[in-house]
Amino acid sequence: MKRKSSSEAVVSTQSTGKQGFPYTPNSFFVLKMKQTLDVGWYKLSFEWESRLVRGLEGIYLSTYNDSATGEERKLLASQMEPLAARKVMPCFDEPDFKANFSMEITSEDLYPLVLWNMPEKTEPVVSEPGWKTRVFEESVPMSTYLLAFIIADFECTTPRVTSTGVTVRTCGQRDAINEDKAGEYSAEATKIIIEAYEKFYDKNFPLKKIDSVAVPDFSAGAMENWGLILYRETALLYTPSKDTLKNKARVSTVVAHELAHQWFGNLVTMKWWNDLWLNEGFASYVEWIGTNASEPEWKYLDFQTSYDRSAAFNVDSYASSRPTSIPVEKPSDITAQFDSISYSKGSALLVQAKMFMDQGEEDTQFFETAIRNYIKKHSFQNTEQKDLYQQLNLTYASRTDVDPIDIVSVMNTWTLQMNFPLISVAQYDDQHLMLSQERFLISGGHVTNDLSSDYGYQWYVPIEYTISNGKKQFVWLKPHSTVLVPFNFSDESASIHLNRDNAGYYITDYSYDTWSRFTANIDQEEVYQTLSVPEKQGMLFDTFQLISLGKKPITTGLKLIQQMINHNESMYVPLREINNRLGGIQTRIRGDKDLAEKWRNNWKKWAEDIYKKHSEPFFRQDNPLPLPKDGEYDEYENPFQKRMLISFGAQIACSVEVQDCLDAAKDKFEIYKKNESSLLPDFKTTVLNSVISDANITAAKENWQFLWEKYLNSKQATEKEVIYYALGLIRDAETLKTFSSYCLDSTKVRPSDALYIMGRSIAQTALGAEVSWEFMKSNWKTMGERFSNALFAVDAYISGVLSNFATEEKLNEIEDFFSNQTETLGAGLAAYRSALQSINANIAWLER
């Protein structure tokens, strides 16, 4: 590693006297000088060895079975973020220490694909028989966590070149690239999205190439290493004949997310990990723009707030949450930052920022202008969140048509305190409504992590609203104050609608009268149809959040669902939200079998209607019919969402045991066992889930064994994922225990999948959650040793197993188990605290 300087002095082992020691709490190695050094530039030289390990961080060794020969093949991959570069080489492993790196790699000819962040400088040179040395170009200034390496016997797609000369390839296992052509979609999407981002950022991509590589064992979904992005196979490879449209959407969004980082994160990098949200929140925001550029006919921006805002609220509603930016002092503080607050809340706050930056105008780009100026000013540098806020403030202050306000102060209230505001709407007098705010907090039982706030849990709230479907209006609700909005109460038809397009990061609590006016207004068909997709999803999600808070009775939410059904709602996102709310009730009452059965019968009627309207013509055929391809069916206004709805309708109908759907699924499975290609990818999840969750345990166990063998033999990552989710649905405890034990056997389940299987597959039913909890207790030490640094997977596991319990007995049992070993939770500590709050909220909900 070299940093440019006017003078250099060598600090060798002679000058240090070989005196040094590791400082474990911070993962430091401390060198002790024999004499005091003068201020100046020095060159520190090391010779070192670093062992290849079997974990999933640093430079690690992985294996896979060649699909053509069945032989085990090795590969070398890497994952440096956040703290693993120091495990590979001596370095100043902090984001602010950007450097120009030089690299040579010597490797065996058996592994012809050898990649680093930068292109090769010269042709490979034979260093000894069977080995070659490759010299790479010096890097641009970059942080250590972005270093990456791949050595493998992989193939790559034919290079594509962007309009500005960037070479793009997708690489992976030979069969996937050559026969299935599974890398073509992501390679083309990468090219399109880079070109779109160059326009969005008004800054060309600064490197000569981007290689995207699908790695069989990878801990995260992907990693944005500059010029060499590594992915899970399910996040990069897409085969139209084998994968669903949902798989395709995942590839597009993950690729768009990682490419967004190439500017916001790599080119301009956070100074320290307390501002990780600047990297991840922004990439989570921009990924929707990138996907929309790659697939404009999908209208994918309709999904944005339903994913990010809702996902953030699910965590940020509790006292176990945290501010978006918090002090980071030790390694465990860093890993705890990789959560929904950094990603989803960060994205939702940027949606809100665009709303107030562009207020009062359609199709304006004040927000984008500020971002472009920020990127240009800080390229190849490190920043703090205040640098972004100052640029937003400069742009906002240039407008003469908006109320002046200090954007730095605005943003600090959103990122330096946790949770979010509840906005109350009530009558003030005959001519005015009053808007006020308080902290939204679902708190059942004791609070374990209630951080005090310098801002008193008050916010600068940007509110966009309409009166009686009129023009959008905007007002700031400032901390410790109220706002009066003109409103004619004598007009019985008048209504107010806050948070248009669902862009604000708050929840609205209408008084009884204003809520009655609002629901009466949207009861009109012509008014309801003017609501955007995000608005429909948001009003339902927010209503059920208010129910969880105790502000509204559950009948309010059920009546709103009935209104949407009466309007024959037919868009995928709102219908999915209806199902999520009905399913959420089912999950909370699943401990009471009789009540759960009664509820499912009510849910079944709606699910059957959706199935018959959208799915039955495609699902209930003796010979499967092709699903509509994007754009081919003119009668579909939005073919992507309609196609999603076709598979969704079958999935929910079978899940609540609509008999016609179950019969069709069983018939399809019998054909599938003889001819795998007979089953359309879009229906595979529904069919496999149905036969494994069959109440006939004997038949289900037979089908389970068939699918388990298929899981072991499958070479396709997306197929393995569909299978392992289905396997967790069996209603047999012993089989689930066996499945859990397989997760600790790396010859059966890849380590990168193990926690997801235990947390999201096995724990998805009431029986599975009980089995998973007992397994967690019995094997906690083993799992801590193997998976403590697995970041997202640890969260998924702890949350999946614990969050849906709903009794005091179980809460006490969980707290007793972890009472003396919370330090063993590592990266999962925040997920554990959130799970406790969730259990408390479930208990309170059932009591109400």
Side-chain angles (χ1 to χ4, degrees):
M1 183 173 67
K2 181 171 68 177
R3 300 192 71 164
K4 292 182 179 179
S5 60
S6 57
S7 62
E8 292 184 342
V10 175
V11 180
S12 68
T13 54
Q14 292 180 346
S15 59
T16 65
K18 295 188 178 180
Q19 297 181 38
F21 58 91
Y23 182 68
T24 306
N26 283 21
S27 299
F28 285 171
F29 187 82
V30 181
L31 292 174
K32 190 174 182 181
M33 300 297 108
K34 292 182 69 174
Q35 66 273 343
T36 302
L37 301 181
D38 295 330
V39 174
W41 287 97
Y42 295 85
K43 182 177 180 181
L44 183 59
S45 299
F46 285 91
E47 290 184 5
W48 79 94
E49 292 182 355
S50 181
R51 295 179 180 274
L52 287 178
V53 296
R54 279 283 190 172
L56 297 175
E57 60 178 2
I59 293 181
Y60 63 90
L61 186 66
S62 181
T63 60
Y64 64 96
N65 291 325
D66 186 277
S67 57
T69 65
E71 295 178 357
E72 184 180 81
R73 300 306 308 275
K74 295 178 181 179
L75 67 91
L76 181 149
S78 66
Q79 171 63 26
M80 305 300 180
E81 191 182 35
L83 299 171
R86 65 192 67 185
K87 295 184 177 183
V88 177
M89 63 185 183
C91 58
F92 294 101
D93 193 18
E94 298 178 9
D96 196 25
F97 283 93
K98 288 192 173 184
N100 300 89
F101 294 87
S102 299
M103 185 62 57
E104 292 184 8
I105 298 177
T106 300
S107 59
E108 288 184 275
D109 293 342
L110 292 172
Y111 306 97
L113 185 71
V114 181
L115 300 175
W116 185 56
N117 301 79
M118 303 296 142
E120 288 186 43
K121 187 175 183 179
T122 58
E123 289 295 317
V125 176
V126 176
S127 53
E128 59 181 273
W131 292 74
K132 287 188 177 71
T133 296
R134 290 169 170 83
V135 179
F136 295 86
E137 294 182 7
E138 182 179 85
S139 77
V140 296
M142 58 188 284
S143 303
T144 49
Y145 78 86
L146 294 171
L147 291 167
F149 308 86
I150 277 287
I151 301 176
D153 183 20
F154 280 0
E155 286 283 347
C156 299
T157 57
T158 302
R160 291 165 165 81
V161 180
T162 71
S163 58
T164 55
V166 181
T167 301
V168 171
R169 298 186 300 175
T170 290
C171 309
Q173 294 187 50
R174 289 181 177 276
D175 280 0
I177 299 299
N178 292 335
E179 296 178 20
D180 292 341
K181 305 299 181 185
E184 297 300 322
Y185 176 71
S186 59
E188 184 62 23
T190 298
K191 176 180 178 292
I192 293 170
I193 293 170
I194 288 174
E195 293 173 342
Y197 284 169
E198 288 181 329
K199 294 177 182 177
F200 175 79
Y201 291 111
D202 193 24
K203 181 80 172 178
N204 286 350
F205 183 69
L207 306 185
K208 296 178 182 178
K209 63 95 174 177
I210 286 188
D211 289 318
S212 301
V213 184
V215 181
D217 261 332
F218 200 67
S219 59
M223 178 61 208
E224 66 269 16
N225 315 299
W226 224 354
L228 177 54
I229 307 175
L230 306 185
Y231 294 80
R232 276 180 173 245
E233 290 179 320
T234 53
L236 186 66
L237 304 179
Y238 169 73
T239 305
S241 63
K242 298 180 180 180
D243 292 326
T244 67
L245 192 59
K246 194 173 182 179
N247 296 137
K248 186 178 185 180
R250 185 189 180 196
V251 169
S252 184
T253 53
V254 176
V255 167
H257 181 99
E258 304 311 320
L259 292 176
H261 274 305
Q262 305 299 300
W263 285 263
F264 221 104
N266 298 7
L267 183 63
V268 181
T269 310
M270 74 228 157
K271 191 167 285 188
W272 184 236
W273 296 102
N274 61 301
D275 286 332
L276 177 68
W277 85 271
L278 287 178
N279 279 21
E280 299 301 348
F282 205 90
S284 297
Y285 169 78
V286 177
E287 73 181 49
W288 300 96
I289 297 170
T291 302
N292 195 57
S294 176
E295 301 286 356
E297 74 280 2
W298 287 4
K299 298 184 179 178
Y300 210 59
L301 292 174
D302 284 351
F303 290 70
Q304 184 171 21
T305 58
S306 73
Y307 279 95
D308 288 337
R309 180 177 178 271
S310 300
F313 280 168
N314 284 335
V315 174
D316 207 24
S317 296
Y318 300 103
S320 55
S321 186
R322 65 168 180 85
T324 314
S325 179
I326 59 174
V328 170
E329 298 175 352
K330 56 185 183 296
S332 60
D333 293 339
I334 298 173
T335 55
Q337 296 271 57
F338 290 84
D339 61 3
S340 293
I341 298 299
S342 290
Y343 287 75
S344 299
K345 183 175 181 178
S347 173
L349 292 182
L350 291 168
V351 170
Q352 179 175 263
K354 177 169 173 56
M355 178 262 285
F356 67 67
M357 290 291 292
D358 293 352
Q359 63 177 275
E361 300 290 340
E362 296 293 334
D363 300 321
T364 57
Q365 292 201 335
F366 293 105
F367 177 73
E368 286 79 1
T369 296
I371 297 304
R372 289 163 186 160
N373 291 339
Y374 171 83
I375 291 289
K376 290 175 184 176
K377 181 177 180 180
H378 299 289
S379 291
F380 297 108
Q381 298 175 10
N382 296 75
T383 61
E384 300 173 287
Q385 63 176 18
K386 67 180 181 181
D387 297 310
L388 174 62
Y389 301 167
Q390 287 167 358
Q391 197 61 61
L392 291 171
N393 193 52
L394 284 172
T395 304
Y396 188 88
S398 69
R399 297 188 63 176
T400 59
D401 58 337
V402 295
D403 292 335
I405 199 166
D406 179 47
I407 299 301
V408 177
S409 298
V410 170
M411 291 301 294
N412 281 339
T413 65
W414 291 99
T415 60
L416 297 180
Q417 59 183 350
M418 62 185 182
N419 306 128
F420 53 90
L422 173 68
I423 306 302
S424 296
V425 183
Q427 182 175 0
Y428 179 75
D429 58 29
D430 290 344
Q431 296 297 318
H432 294 90
L433 285 164
M434 184 173 73
L435 309 183
S436 60
Q437 65 168 295
E438 61 182 286
R439 180 188 185 189
F440 187 100
L441 186 65
I442 299 174
S443 181
H446 65 277
V447 173
T448 60
N449 190 37
D450 189 6
L451 303 177
S452 61
S453 168
D454 292 339
Y455 301 92
Y457 293 105
Q458 293 280 298
W459 291 262
Y460 286 92
V461 188
I463 297 176
E464 207 166 42
Y465 67 95
T466 55
I467 302 290
S468 301
N469 313 310
K471 184 180 178 181
K472 283 183 183 178
Q473 301 182 62
F474 182 91
V475 65
W476 284 104
L477 175 58
K478 298 178 182 179
H480 307 291
S481 66
T482 59
V483 167
L484 296 183
V485 174
F487 188 86
N488 183 9
F489 274 91
S490 64
D491 181 358
E492 295 184 0
S493 66
S495 65
I496 186 170
H497 184 179
L498 266 67
N499 207 6
R500 298 314 305 249
D501 294 319
N502 212 27
Y505 192 73
Y506 59 86
I507 283 177
T508 305
D509 182 20
Y510 296 94
S511 65
Y512 179 82
D513 179 45
T514 55
W515 177 252
S516 297
R517 289 169 176 265
F518 173 75
T519 54
N521 187 38
I522 65 170
D523 214 26
Q524 304 172 63
E525 180 66 21
E526 65 275 14
V527 175
Y528 181 81
Q529 296 306 332
T530 65
L531 297 176
S532 67
V533 168
E535 287 169 342
K536 293 175 183 177
Q537 181 274 332
M539 69 181 183
L540 185 56
F541 178 89
D542 291 4
T543 299
F544 273 82
Q545 288 293 96
L546 290 169
I547 293 168
S548 294
L549 190 63
K551 290 280 188 177
K552 292 278 191 288
I554 193 170
T555 51
T556 301
L558 297 179
K559 286 178 181 177
L560 183 57
I561 287 175
Q562 190 58 54
Q563 271 190 292
M564 297 173 74
I565 292 173
N566 292 343
H567 284 298
N568 294 311
E569 178 57 56
S570 59
M571 292 299 289
Y572 171 70
V573 173
L575 287 175
R576 189 191 64 172
E577 189 61 40
I578 292 174
N579 190 64
N580 287 346
R581 296 311 110 212
L582 298 176
I585 295 172
Q586 179 79 16
T587 298
R588 278 175 158 157
I589 65 175
R590 67 189 187 183
D592 185 329
K593 292 183 179 180
D594 291 338
L595 181 59
E597 183 63 26
K598 290 179 182 177
W599 176 253
R600 180 158 50 187
N601 288 335
N602 290 326
W603 184 10
K604 184 184 295 187
K605 177 64 174 68
W606 172 75
E608 187 170 14
D609 289 344
I610 297 299
Y611 168 70
K612 287 182 176 179
K613 180 178 180 181
H614 298 286
S615 307
E616 188 181 37
F618 300 98
F619 190 68
R620 191 62 167 122
Q621 301 294 328
D622 292 333
N623 297 304
L625 295 176
L627 287 176
K629 295 179 181 179
D630 302 358
E632 286 189 1
Y633 279 45
D634 293 338
E635 67 268 27
Y636 288 164
E637 179 184 348
N638 188 325
F640 171 78
Q641 294 199 31
K642 288 296 183 181
R643 182 171 162 185
M644 294 285 283
L645 189 53
I646 290 168
S647 58
F648 168 77
Q651 190 171 343
I652 62 169
C654 281
S655 71
V656 296
E657 300 180 2
V658 172
Q659 196 58 50
D660 181 74
C661 186
L662 289 178
D663 291 342
K666 291 175 183 178
D667 291 345
K668 289 180 181 298
F669 186 71
E670 290 305 312
I671 299 172
Y672 167 76
K673 287 197 291 187
K674 300 171 185 176
N675 177 16
E676 182 179 341
S677 63
S678 67
L679 184 57
L680 289 172
D682 293 68
F683 292 141
K684 184 174 286 188
T685 292
T686 297
V687 170
L688 302 194
N689 287 359
S690 299
V691 299
I692 296 300
S693 61
D694 194 338
N696 182 336
I697 302 300
T698 301
K701 289 173 73 173
E702 180 181 329
N703 292 332
W704 195 97
Q705 193 59 43
F706 172 83
L707 286 180
W708 174 246
E709 293 297 328
K710 186 167 284 293
Y711 173 86
L712 292 175
N713 295 320
S714 176
K715 301 297 186 293
Q716 188 191 10
T718 50
E719 180 182 52
K720 292 173 82 77
E721 189 173 79
V722 169
I723 292 173
Y724 76 59
Y725 275 115
L727 293 176
L729 289 169
I730 193 164
R731 307 184 193 190
D732 180 66
E734 291 304 314
T735 304
L736 290 174
K737 291 176 184 177
T738 300
F739 192 20
S740 298
S741 68
Y742 289 166
C743 292
L744 299 184
D745 183 348
S746 61
T747 66
K748 293 182 171 68
V749 172
R750 286 193 173 277
S752 55
D753 291 335
L755 291 181
Y756 290 110
I757 292 176
M758 290 187 284
R760 293 180 176 173
S761 170
I762 298 173
Q764 65 185 304
T765 66
L767 173 63
E770 291 289 348
V771 170
S772 296
W773 168 233
E774 293 301 319
F775 189 82
M776 178 186 283
K777 289 189 293 183
S778 300
N779 296 276
W780 182 249
K781 182 178 179 181
T782 299
M783 287 190 285
E785 292 169 351
R786 295 190 186 185
F787 305 117
S788 60
N789 294 316
L791 294 181
F792 309 101
V794 173
D795 281 3
Y797 176 54
I798 293 172
S799 176
V801 174
L802 303 181
S803 294
N804 291 318
F805 288 122
T807 65
E808 290 281 358
E809 178 185 8
K810 191 63 67 178
L811 176 63
N812 293 335
E813 185 182 332
I814 293 168
E815 289 184 315
D816 287 345
F817 177 77
F818 285 108
S819 61
N820 296 318
Q821 53 179 349
T822 53
E823 72 282 353
T824 65
L825 286 158
L829 180 59
Y832 168 71
R833 288 173 172 165
S834 182
L836 294 183
Q837 290 290 302
S838 180
I839 296 169
N840 274 308
N842 293 340
I843 294 169
W845 187 92
L846 287 172
E847 289 175 349
R848 286 196 297 271

